Amino acid sequence: MASLKSSPAWKALEAHRKKTAGLHMRDLFADEKDRFDAMSVGLGGLFLDYSKNSVSAETFALLIDLADEADVEGWRRRMAAGEEINATEGRPALHMALRDPGAGKEIIAARKDMERICNGIRDGKMTGATGKPFQAVVNLGTGGSHLGPAMVVGALKAFRDGPDIHFVCNVDGAQIAQILDGLVPETTLFITASKSFTTEETLTNARTARSWLSEAVGDGVGDGAGAHFIAVTANAGAAKDFGIGEDRIIALPEGVGGRFSVWSGVGLAAALALGWENFEAMLSGAHDMDRHFLESPLDANMPVILGVIGIWNIDFLGAEALAVLPYDEGLGLLPNYLRQLEMESNGKSIGRDGTALEAGGAPIVFGEPGTGGQHAFYQALHQGRRLIASDFIVPLRTHHPTGDHHQRLLANAFAQSEALMMGRPGDKNGDKQPPHRAFEGNRPSNTILMDRVDPFTLGQLIALYEHKVFVQAIIWGINPFDQWGVELGKELAAAILPEVLGRAASGDHDSSTRGLIARARNAQEGKQS
Ligand code: F6P
């Protein structure tokens, strides 16, 4: 790839940054009376206000030039056409097809399987080995095979009318033990969600679940523990070997990355909780955002706008972190979900062309629902030495009206973004403020309003971030669809396990790793370290 930093659009942005270095957003708002209208865009139940960024009309135009120069339009077309844009794995990126009503045969067939299984379980027609309907569902999966369904089930609590849903993602036995403790084997269903069906954590949990079931219902495929499992995977052979019947396997295309897979069978736990119609409404919301992303001009395109503003904040203003701040308790897992989406997709330092990136890479993503975070880490957002950009996600209507709680919640969200932007100068109304009470302001934030958190709007929101991440990747020169950075740890854990178990002598490790393994062995053998 040609050098990003010597491209005309990047250089123009650099020169512009120098020229506007002393600019304060307060002045932009004072000068531009229609700034809110000019710097906001709506789509269905979503509304993005990006006016509280250090971006003038000129900055914005230059950022759109950058997207144009990177050929975002060509790349979005190539992705939609199913080209192999994930070159290191030789795969397309098919998440848009998963929510397309006109998708290809295989994707529609998998969606039909998912619908059949979802309805069968919810209706009580698809039962466990002893013929009893399932009352509890445990999703066994990690990363994208956990965070997507867990986030959606939490976000759409108000729409739930299905069985109890539990999630086990950690190989720490405490998690599965605690969950199994309250469940009855005969009426419990396990979804083994694993694209690869080789992920050690998930398979370890699945084996534990199977032996828990086997004690109660036996070991068979259709008439024993196997009847209590659904697999969602691209590796049907391994699922069958595990003892899961063919009619209980939902295919996951190879061309769908874990963090983009909530729209597939990986979303089954959510579909079971919400019902098929609600799950389909979520797909429709995402499809609506896809159409917008594919068809809108770059300067009126929500994901493009969010993407280029993020690049401005990261590369030109130095914001290394992005706080995701949902003002909705149900969206509690959204920061974690978006952390994987952003950091696993763009947390890279080598570009698509195999050379070191010159700029960009994912920000550090963190956050928690308001207002708890305000009393924990917002101090650093307002007065810290590091610049942190923020995304406020604010549903205008609540499913839980309780007195004036929601109005208070809204007031807090709007107050925070105003404070971050305006700050409070050291000298206010002629009163001297001590330095520690001064707020410089000028801290960037976006506010995404949701009409309310419902399946359609949530689908739009997730797809918005998927495409934002894609736009940034294209501009930075990243392949956002691979994740080679997780491989080394997996390999080393496999090598260290026999040593921790005491089945192999200490391998060739550095002295720290050797020392830690030795202490673990001693602890297991009850010896003093
Ligand atoms: O290790 C990272 C990762 O591969 C993620 O990308 C993925 O979401 C997760 O592990 C789970 O993978 P699988 O669905 O294959 O079990």
Side-chain angles (χ1 to χ4, degrees):
M1 190 174 130
S3 159
L4 176 62
K5 285 201 161 172
S6 46
S7 72
W10 194 275
K11 281 181 149 171
L13 278 162
E14 258 171 359
H16 175 74
R17 166 69 186 137
K18 276 198 195 117
K19 202 175 73 188
T20 56
L23 195 75
H24 197 292
M25 271 189 262
R26 278 196 295 262
D27 302 324
L28 290 172
F29 272 92
D31 293 347
E32 300 163 12
K33 295 297 169 220
D34 68 340
R35 189 170 164 84
F36 174 71
D37 291 332
M39 295 203 160
S40 54
V41 53
L43 179 73
L46 281 195
F47 178 86
L48 166 65
D49 167 20
Y50 56 98
S51 62
K52 290 194 183 87
N53 285 285
S54 294
V55 167
S56 65
E58 190 186 350
T59 324
F60 186 69
L62 292 172
L63 287 167
I64 295 299
D65 288 348
L66 183 69
D68 193 29
E69 195 178 76
D71 192 24
V72 166
E73 288 182 355
W75 279 95
R76 71 183 176 184
R77 227 178 8 252
R78 285 195 277 284
M79 176 164 69
E83 287 184 27
E84 285 192 0
I85 57 172
N86 173 2
T88 58
E89 296 181 331
R91 291 173 187 164
L94 295 177
H95 48 292
M96 281 198 290
L98 292 175
R99 55 238 186 180
D100 185 348
K105 248 185 15 235
E106 277 174 29
I107 286 181
I108 297 290
R111 202 183 295 157
K112 287 242 168 305
D113 277 344
M114 183 181 173
E115 181 181 0
R116 171 182 57 82
I117 289 173
C118 172
N119 291 337
I121 290 166
R122 281 173 56 91
D123 295 349
K125 290 187 183 130
M126 200 163 177
T127 66
T130 58
K132 290 196 179 155
F134 294 114
Q135 281 168 5
V137 174
V138 184
N139 188 82
L140 308 173
T142 189
S145 299
H146 158 68
L147 282 165
M151 185 270 286
V152 170
V153 168
L156 298 176
K157 235 185 206 138
F159 295 81
R160 286 184 56 170
D161 62 359
D164 288 344
I165 311 281
H166 306 269
F167 291 91
V168 174
C169 61
N170 199 332
V171 76
D172 182 342
Q175 195 184 30
I176 193 161
Q178 207 173 11
I179 285 174
L180 295 184
D181 205 25
L183 298 178
V184 179
E186 275 183 278
T187 53
T188 300
L189 174 78
F190 293 89
I191 302 171
T192 308
S194 177
K195 180 178 162 184
S196 58
F197 224 86
T198 58
T199 303
E200 256 325 299
E201 295 92 318
T202 301
L203 291 186
T204 303
N205 283 323
R207 284 190 291 267
T208 299
R210 193 177 53 193
S211 43
W212 177 78
L213 285 165
S214 301
E215 282 170 27
V217 299
D219 228 357
V221 172
D223 57 354
H228 291 249
F229 275 95
I230 302 287
V232 182
T233 186
N235 186 357
K240 278 185 215 154
D241 292 347
F242 182 83
I244 303 178
E246 203 154 353
D247 62 331
R248 291 179 182 230
I249 300 177
I250 302 175
L252 185 58
E254 282 289 0
V256 173
R259 56 198 174 274
F260 298 90
S261 68
V262 67
W263 323 102
S264 70
V266 167
L268 181 63
L272 286 170
L274 308 168
W276 187 250
E277 269 182 31
N278 280 320
F279 189 77
E280 275 196 322
M282 191 178 86
L283 300 186
S284 301
H287 182 61
D288 185 54
M289 182 57 72
D290 294 342
R291 301 266 35 111
H292 167 80
F293 175 56
L294 294 172
E295 291 162 11
S296 303
L298 297 182
D299 62 356
N301 193 308
M302 230 188 250
V304 174
I305 293 170
L306 212 51
V308 295
I309 287 198
I311 289 185
W312 175 251
N313 289 336
I314 292 166
D315 290 309
F316 295 91
L317 304 185
E320 298 274 313
L322 173 67
V324 174
L325 309 169
Y327 276 68
D328 181 278
E329 201 53 30
L331 289 174
L333 269 182
L334 185 70
N336 300 30
Y337 177 82
L338 294 182
R339 180 164 58 205
Q340 185 193 11
L341 182 62
E342 299 237 9
M343 297 181 74
E344 201 172 59
S345 300
N346 286 343
K348 293 164 188 168
S349 47
I350 297 295
R352 291 191 296 269
D353 62 358
T355 66
L357 293 182
E358 292 182 347
I364 296 155
V365 178
F366 70 104
E368 64 173 83
T371 57
Q374 288 174 204
H375 301 282
F377 60 84
Y378 279 36
Q379 164 67 37
L381 304 187
H382 288 286
Q383 289 187 317
R385 285 189 66 233
R386 288 178 183 81
L387 183 67
I388 299 171
S390 303
D391 281 359
F392 291 88
I393 318 247
V394 187
L396 292 175
R397 293 189 289 145
T398 176
H399 294 288
H400 309 282
T402 311
D404 62 0
H405 282 240
H406 196 63
Q407 290 74 6
R408 288 174 186 273
L409 187 68
L410 293 175
N412 271 281
F414 303 152
Q416 289 299 327
S417 67
E418 183 177 33
L420 286 166
M421 187 274 282
M422 291 291 280
R424 178 170 59 194
D427 194 350
K428 191 191 168 205
N429 303 330
D431 300 333
K432 252 307 184 237
Q433 294 284 335
H436 64 269
R437 287 182 54 86
F439 288 69
E440 96 195 78
N442 214 20
R443 302 196 172 216
S445 71
N446 297 298
T447 298
I448 298 172
L449 299 178
M450 301 173 80
D451 186 27
R452 62 174 197 159
V453 185
D454 60 22
F456 187 89
T457 318
L458 184 67
Q460 287 188 306
L461 181 75
I462 306 169
L464 166 64
Y465 275 93
E466 286 179 350
H467 295 319
K468 170 218 160 169
V469 164
F470 177 69
V471 167
Q472 294 187 328
I474 294 314
I475 294 174
W476 285 325
I478 292 174
N479 170 9
F481 300 115
D482 65 9
Q483 56 284 319
W484 296 101
V486 299
E487 293 305 318
L488 181 58
K490 288 186 195 171
E491 278 166 36
L492 293 183
I496 289 173
L497 178 61
E499 296 169 37
V500 172
L501 287 168
R503 291 184 192 150
S506 185
D508 184 18
H509 304 291
D510 59 88
S511 64
S512 160
T513 308
R514 222 173 27 245
L516 296 171
I517 295 169
R519 290 179 85 90
R521 287 278 328 128
N522 287 345
Q524 282 164 68
E525 287 164 12
K527 292 187 207 150
Q528 288 294 324
S529 291

